[in-house]
Amino acid sequence: MRRGSCERELAARWEAEAVAAARRETEARALAALGQVSVDAGAAGEPERKEGEEEAKARAPARPRAAEEGDARVSPSKPKPAPALTPTPTRGLCQQGKPRGKGRGWKRSSGRRADDGGWQRVVTVDSSKAKTSLEALKISIRQLRWKEFPFGRRLPCDIYWHGVSFHDNDIFSGQVNKFPGMTEMVRKITLSRAVRIMQTLFPEEYNFYPRSWILPEELQLFTAQVQVVKEGDPSWKPTFIVKPDGGCQGDGIYLIKDPSDIRLTGTLQSRPAVVQEYICKPLLIDKLKFDIRLYVLLKSLDPLEIYIAKDGLSRFCTEPYQEPNSQNMHHVFMHLTNYSLNIHSNNFIHSDSANTGSKRTFSSILYRLSSKGVDIKKVWSDIISLVIKTVIALTPELKVFYHLDIPTGRPGPTCFQILGFDILLMKNLKPMLLEVNANPSMRIEHEHELSPGVFENVPSLVDEEVKVAVIRDTLRLMDPLKKKRETHFSDAFMDRKYRILPVSDRISAVKLKFLKLSVVRSQQLGKTVARKEDVDSKNAAGANSSPEAHLPSICLKQVFPKYAKQFNYLRLVDRMANLFIRFLGIKGTMKLGPTGFRTFIRNCKLSSSSLSMAAVDILYIDITRRWNSVTLDQRESGMCLQAFVEAFFFLAQRKFKMMPLHEQVASLIDLCEYHLSLLDEKRLLCSGVGRRGTAPDHSLPQETVPTAQSTGTIVGASKLSYSKPALS
């Protein structure tokens, strides 16, 4: 808006605006208030009026105008009448013939809203693929006052909420609530392999996952190991639980006592599975076995950011627990805690209370344990450690999937995802990981059978209490406009003396003197209005001090990078994945070819007289052939990440002897990163010389030429963060 158009009418309405100034501010701050930005009807959040309404408004008496275009419009209780202004409507002009305000042509449905006297863009959410989480998502969006597009939108949205996988929609911008490859990564077999790699490196740190065997490829190994243990301890009578790889909601899970169980061998060829040691001594409440569903937000992959919900759900079995034996091991309502199974039990109890029923809040369980003297902080600490370690095990291969779908430098969305961790507390309160769900159920209702075959959806208050908070606060953390909004509010509510010019700089001394006299005459009216203004300002401060003032505190607690110092030493496989991705090349693939593997060996200077390039080729062929025979994805040939990790372990054990495996691997990673950093600096230097068009100077200064001393450290290379390890 322009200031000159308003000044031309200043004299005619001066006294009326003085009264307006007295109403808006107390006498002491009347002069400063004249600098506040003017807001027309469109910018204040009114929908755009139709043409007939515009004409009617034009025929009506106009409201008193402010002394300047930047001054606030406030009508006194008895405004001085002014002639109506009825200019011919023109494109881009408001009724007074001035340029139309910025927000004038925007409606609420266009993704903007009124906020603190100015238009703020509203976050848009595409919920067309939300599926079973739709109701909880709708409630969350309403609470946040965002804009939902339930049938999609031609224009890009800020956030896309998918119900199944990353590929539910073709997305090129914004944020999507799924990571590519997450569904594959948390399948029973893939998760077991990822955790097994970490157990190989850090057996004590990853003892929260039951010992597992992958079937059918490890059936003979499973049978042989069980037989060896039984021969050494005849009193050992184990129970094993068989979980189909692609199963969900308890489908296909059963218990066995011996590897020779006929069901085990009868279903393996058509349905690969994982078999685990069954946890026979779980913690019981009311004589019932239960597990915990915790919601974990993976906010970012690189850098890694993990949040855990402060509350979760506890799902109970519906038959009193007994240790498995030949008589009860087929009782699924006793041994399996899956909600989808137990809901069909006659003993299942639906309850709106968080403390009773077959589904309760985890916080109610903690409160009950606390009343019995249990150290709840220790329980939470162990659970947080379990979650961080599990995510660290999953992220290396997840990075490879991400690189395949969203290569570096190409347009694409950013990703986040809510994971469901199923955790069982043992009798000694040690948490054990059962599984991870890429698509945890976010339904907030359950089916109630009115008559045989006739069901209705009944709201579940326990589910709504936990799940809506998780979705809503996930959206709050992922809000793409949060920084802009916080900046806007900090500017809008800071002290006026820092954000507006003195009145004397904007109006003449004569006008200032006249204004002071007008303020004195309006003191009586101002006192009455000021009291109302104080009440209004207090209410406005409560409503507008923050865009999230009406919301409860965030239920998601950051655990990484908050505790990064305690867990970064575990991220060895993550660093190996970075090396793997580097040598994949630009082709969209997840497997490393023989040329890429040879380049890796050559650039990291791992070949020697005892490891020729011919031996490197044989190593590649042997490991790749074995892994390709056990992986389900046969669409492309080459070395997968897990095969690369096995080869890396072999090279580390060969290069660095007489050390624990994790130290051998760490030393080899340091060596590779060191040589690659030198190579990157050399390429950067050569590219700089090439751009200048000058011959390379071989007498470079000391700070650009790192030299390895007898101690193995780099001298004078401040840009390098790696030190060359001592070789055997």
Side-chain angles (χ1 to χ4, degrees):
M1 298 183 181
R2 297 177 181 176
R3 197 175 297 172
S5 61
C6 187
E7 290 179 349
R8 288 192 296 268
E9 302 175 6
L10 182 62
R13 301 180 180 86
W14 193 261
E15 185 174 354
E17 283 309 308
V19 176
R23 181 182 178 185
R24 182 169 181 83
E25 294 290 345
T26 60
E27 178 182 351
R29 308 182 74 173
L31 302 180
L34 295 176
Q36 188 169 342
V37 178
S38 171
V39 180
D40 63 11
E46 295 182 9
E48 190 173 16
R49 292 180 175 84
K50 297 181 180 179
E51 184 177 357
E53 296 174 347
E54 298 284 4
E55 294 176 356
K57 183 179 177 183
R59 290 193 295 269
R63 296 169 61 90
R65 299 288 301 279
E68 295 192 24
E69 189 67 22
D71 298 342
R73 300 178 184 174
V74 182
S75 301
S77 57
K78 294 182 180 180
K80 184 177 180 178
L85 300 175
T86 57
T88 303
T90 57
R91 183 177 182 181
L93 299 179
C94 62
Q95 268 105 347
Q96 287 78 13
K98 299 180 300 178
R100 191 180 298 274
K102 180 179 179 180
R104 186 66 172 174
W106 291 87
K107 298 182 180 180
R108 291 186 183 274
S109 61
S110 66
R112 294 188 177 235
R113 71 178 179 200
D115 207 358
D116 186 39
W119 279 82
Q120 290 289 314
R121 193 170 78 80
V122 177
V123 178
T124 56
V125 181
D126 184 335
S127 62
S128 59
K129 303 291 184 179
K131 297 185 182 291
T132 58
S133 62
L134 183 59
E135 289 304 316
L137 179 63
K138 285 181 176 292
I139 295 174
S140 301
I141 294 174
R142 285 199 298 268
Q143 292 179 356
L144 293 171
R145 301 171 185 173
W146 291 1
K147 181 64 181 176
E148 178 191 5
F149 290 88
F151 304 106
R153 187 190 189 197
R154 290 185 178 180
L155 296 176
C157 284
D158 295 307
I159 295 177
Y160 295 84
W161 196 273
H162 292 178
V164 179
S165 74
F166 173 82
H167 298 285
D168 284 356
N169 259 331
D170 293 329
I171 304 170
F172 303 99
S173 64
Q175 302 179 78
V176 61
N177 71 316
K178 301 293 180 184
F179 277 95
M182 182 65 81
T183 302
E184 292 81 357
M185 276 306 304
V186 299
R187 291 170 71 99
K188 309 290 191 305
I189 290 179
T190 315
L191 175 64
S192 297
R193 282 178 175 153
V195 175
R196 182 183 295 179
I197 290 175
M198 300 304 297
Q199 288 175 332
T200 304
L201 289 169
F202 306 100
E204 296 298 323
E205 299 287 352
Y206 281 82
N207 59 1
F208 56 80
Y209 192 69
R211 188 173 184 181
S212 307
W213 295 267
I214 298 169
L215 307 178
E217 63 186 83
E218 295 178 349
L219 178 58
Q220 293 183 352
L221 177 65
F222 170 53
T223 303
Q225 290 182 343
V226 170
Q227 186 64 31
V228 168
V229 176
K230 282 186 175 182
E231 291 176 354
D233 184 8
S235 63
W236 184 55
K237 297 180 180 180
T239 302
F240 303 97
I241 183 169
V242 182
K243 302 177 181 179
D245 180 48
C248 62
Q249 299 180 343
D251 177 43
I253 298 178
Y254 56 91
L255 305 184
I256 60 173
K257 278 289 187 179
D258 192 87
S260 61
D261 190 296
I262 189 172
R263 288 186 297 165
L264 185 66
T265 57
T267 60
L268 289 181
Q269 298 302 324
S270 60
R271 199 173 191 186
V274 169
V275 58
Q276 296 177 327
E277 290 184 72
Y278 182 76
I279 302 171
C280 295
K281 297 186 181 298
L283 178 68
L284 304 179
I285 290 182
D286 299 331
K287 299 181 180 180
L288 298 173
K289 179 182 176 181
F290 70 96
D291 73 350
I292 303 160
R293 165 64 60 85
L294 280 183
Y295 297 97
V296 175
L297 169 64
L298 182 56
K299 184 175 182 288
S300 171
L301 193 59
D302 191 10
L304 184 61
E305 288 188 61
I306 309 170
Y307 291 77
I308 297 181
K310 297 177 182 178
D311 203 357
L313 296 173
S314 298
R315 292 93 54 90
F316 282 76
C317 289
T318 48
E319 288 185 15
Y321 178 78
Q322 298 176 2
E323 290 195 21
N325 55 49
S326 57
Q327 285 75 34
N328 65 31
M329 63 185 302
H330 305 301
H331 294 192
V332 293
F333 297 148
M334 176 187 296
H335 297 292
L336 303 184
T337 56
N338 301 75
Y339 167 79
S340 55
L341 293 177
N342 283 278
I343 195 174
H344 299 293
S345 170
N346 294 329
N347 298 326
F348 191 91
I349 301 173
H350 292 286
S351 175
D352 291 336
S353 171
N355 307 315
T356 60
S358 297
K359 183 187 286 188
R360 314 176 194 178
T361 61
F362 180 46
S363 57
S364 69
I365 302 299
L366 292 177
Y367 179 81
R368 185 163 178 173
L369 295 176
S370 178
S371 65
K372 296 181 179 180
V374 173
D375 186 357
I376 299 304
K377 290 184 178 180
K378 176 66 165 57
V379 174
W380 257 120
S381 176
D382 292 343
I383 290 175
I384 290 173
S385 176
L386 178 152
V387 168
I388 294 175
K389 292 174 182 177
T390 303
V391 174
I392 287 176
L394 293 174
T395 51
E397 194 157 0
L398 202 59
K399 281 186 174 182
V400 180
F401 278 103
Y402 194 90
H403 176 77
L404 175 66
D405 282 276
I406 312 176
T408 304
R410 295 187 184 179
T414 56
C415 302
F416 64 97
Q417 189 156 352
I418 298 173
L419 303 174
F421 275 65
D422 291 346
I423 298 171
L424 184 74
L425 287 179
M426 296 179 64
K427 193 173 182 178
N428 60 0
L429 298 176
K430 177 183 178 179
M432 298 293 290
L433 177 66
L434 299 181
E435 63 182 16
V436 180
N437 295 272
N439 302 305
S441 173
M442 287 295 176
R443 291 190 63 179
I444 55 175
E445 67 277 336
H446 62 83
E447 290 184 345
H448 174 66
E449 190 171 9
L450 299 176
S451 59
V454 180
F455 296 88
E456 70 170 349
N457 287 330
V458 179
S460 171
L461 299 183
V462 176
D463 283 298
E464 183 172 338
E465 176 184 345
V466 174
K467 296 176 181 178
V468 170
V470 170
I471 293 179
R472 179 195 65 224
D473 293 345
T474 294
L475 293 174
R476 291 167 71 182
L477 289 172
M478 302 307 302
D479 181 358
L481 306 179
K482 187 174 183 179
K483 291 184 178 180
K484 291 184 179 180
R485 194 177 294 113
E486 289 175 349
T487 303
H488 167 74
F489 272 85
S490 63
D491 290 344
F493 290 95
M494 67 187 296
D495 193 346
R496 286 188 178 90
K497 69 180 181 180
Y498 295 111
R499 60 185 178 94
I500 59 175
L501 295 174
V503 176
S504 58
D505 291 350
R506 293 182 282 115
I507 60 177
S508 64
V510 176
K511 294 178 180 179
L512 182 61
K513 179 179 179 181
F514 185 81
L515 178 59
K516 291 180 178 179
L517 294 175
S518 302
V519 170
V520 171
R521 288 198 298 269
S522 63
Q523 282 182 357
Q524 293 297 326
L525 176 63
K527 289 180 180 179
T528 303
V529 176
R531 285 193 290 269
K532 182 178 182 299
E533 186 72 19
D534 289 341
V535 176
D536 294 341
S537 63
K538 290 179 181 179
N539 294 337
N544 295 330
S545 59
S546 169
E548 298 184 352
H550 65 287
L551 299 174
S553 60
I554 290 184
C555 72
L556 295 167
K557 173 185 178 182
Q558 188 191 79
V559 296
F560 200 95
K562 182 178 181 180
Y563 303 122
K565 291 183 179 180
Q566 299 171 228
F567 296 95
N568 269 339
Y569 74 97
L570 299 174
R571 303 186 67 183
L572 296 181
V573 184
D574 202 67
R575 294 166 67 188
M576 279 186 265
N578 293 335
L579 297 174
F580 179 79
I581 292 172
R582 175 175 176 135
F583 291 97
L584 278 178
I586 60 175
K587 183 181 177 181
T589 178
M590 291 183 60
K591 293 188 176 181
L592 187 66
T595 303
F597 189 71
R598 289 172 62 93
T599 305
F600 158 70
I601 296 293
R602 188 181 300 110
N603 288 357
C604 295
K605 302 188 183 305
L606 300 182
S607 60
S608 63
S609 58
S610 60
L611 183 67
S612 63
M613 294 306 294
V616 168
D617 291 338
I618 294 173
L619 174 67
Y620 174 87
I621 293 172
D622 288 345
I623 294 180
T624 301
R625 182 180 298 165
R626 183 168 64 256
W627 276 96
N628 286 341
S629 66
V630 299
T631 55
L632 300 177
D633 186 7
Q634 302 292 340
R635 290 175 294 180
E636 57 178 339
S637 60
M639 176 179 279
C640 63
L641 175 63
Q642 293 169 338
F644 179 79
V645 170
E646 181 181 332
F648 203 92
F649 284 1
F650 172 81
L651 295 172
Q653 290 171 319
R654 186 184 183 94
K655 195 83 172 177
F656 304 94
K657 301 175 181 177
M658 305 300 294
M659 298 168 63
L661 178 60
H662 66 90
E663 292 184 11
Q664 293 173 328
V665 171
S667 298
L668 185 59
I669 293 174
D670 289 339
L671 178 65
C672 293
E673 290 175 339
Y674 166 74
H675 285 298
L676 293 176
S677 66
L678 292 181
L679 184 61
D680 290 341
E681 278 208 350
K682 182 178 179 180
R683 289 174 177 172
L684 183 63
L685 182 62
C686 292
S687 63
V689 171
R691 284 195 297 269
R692 290 194 300 269
T694 58
D697 184 3
H698 297 286
S699 58
L700 295 175
Q702 179 67 26
E703 61 269 20
T704 61
V705 184
T707 57
Q709 304 297 322
S710 59
T711 57
T713 58
I714 301 174
V715 178
S718 59
K719 294 183 180 180
L720 299 180
S721 58
Y722 311 115
S723 59
K724 184 177 181 180
L727 305 182
S728 59

